[in-house]
């Protein structure tokens, strides 16, 4: 049986799937991923929460790159992989879609039962008063304060970042919270930061209800995602994964499909 027929069979036999997705779902929408086929970093690892909180210079660099990166990230549209998974949910085949992506493209494609494990990049949160504002408002404020940076272009990087290097960021003016003057941060979980407990618990609950797990486009290199696959394995639930490269859970998989996500899931469309 070919891999894709085996996948079709797997999805057909398990009608309560817990779906876990990663960056490989969104590369077809023009959002690069972090890792190569071996699961190694392709580029400078992303900023950690410790660096972001610890230094104003890091925050200037973060927001300058984010301002440039948002131009393309903010316009990204769902691709065939997102649509295929939305179709799978609509047919009653899933308990939850847990995504490690922060781009909201699953929701844009019509998926409704989604948990954004690592948060969402289209919202900005104040670390002092807890208030939120849309990323679009933040973008307008960034552009107002930094008109000289507006026309800079740079290669796209993951998570709405841009490969803006060798720049002096000291003149970049980061807006404070409009309500209290506090420090603003995208409403995403940074490296070095914990996923909120209630989000993890809600996902575990959906996993317990599921009869199998389908991983799509993730190398599962970080524990925040891998733990769900580990738990499924501990519970004896079958696990299938669609990923072009190695995953950290390869030894736990019932079925591995080494194809691009959109090709492997095309039968759902
Ligand atoms: Zn505030």
């Amino acid at each position: 049986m070919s891999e894709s027929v085996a996948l079709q069979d797997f999805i057909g036999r398990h009608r309560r799937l817990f779906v876990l997705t990663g960056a490989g779902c969104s590369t077809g929408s023009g959002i690069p991923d972090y890792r190569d086929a071996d699961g190694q970093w392709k580029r400078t690892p992303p900023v950690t929460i410790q660096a972001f909180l610890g230094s104003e210079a890091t925050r200037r660099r973060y927001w300058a790159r984010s301002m440039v990166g948002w131009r393309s990230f903010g316009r990204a549209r769902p691709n065939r992989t997102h649509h295929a998974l939305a179709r799978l949910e609509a047919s009653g085949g899933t308990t939850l879609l847990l995504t490690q992506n922060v781009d909201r493209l699953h929701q844009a494609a019509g998926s409704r039962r989604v948990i954004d494990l690592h948060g969402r990049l289209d919202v900005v949160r104040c670390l002092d008063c807890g208030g939120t504002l849309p990323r679009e408002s933040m973008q307008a404020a960034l552009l107002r304060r930094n008109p000289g940076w507006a026309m800079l272009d740079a290669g796209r990087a993951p998570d709405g970042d841009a490969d803006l290097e060798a720049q002096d960021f000291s003149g970049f003016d980061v807006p404070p919270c409009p309500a209290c003057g506090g420090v603003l941060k995208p409403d995403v979980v940074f490296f070095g930061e914990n996923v909120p407990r209630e989000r993890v618990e809600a996902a575990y609950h959906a996993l317990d209800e599921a009869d199998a797990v389908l991983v799509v486009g993730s190398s599962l290199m970080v524990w925040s995602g891998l733990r769900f696959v580990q738990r499924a394995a501990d519970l004896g639930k079958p696990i299938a994964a669609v990923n072009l490269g190695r995953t950290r859970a390869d030894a736990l998989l019932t079925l591995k499909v080494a194809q691009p996500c959109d090709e492997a899931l095309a039968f759902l469309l």
Side-chain angles (χ1 to χ4, degrees), residues 126 128-131 177 179-182:
C126 174
D128 295 281
C129 73
C177 170
C180 79

Side-chain angles (χ1 to χ4, degrees), residues 19-36:
V19 182
L20 172 61
T21 73
C25 283
S26 293
T27 50
S29 296
I31 300 172
D33 54 358
Y34 280 113
R35 295 175 190 273
D36 64 19

Side-chain angles (χ1 to χ4, degrees), residues 177-195:
C177 170
C180 79
V183 173
L184 296 172
K185 172 183 170 289
D187 199 13
V188 300
V189 176
F190 276 24
F191 277 79
E193 193 174 10
N194 289 322
V195 176

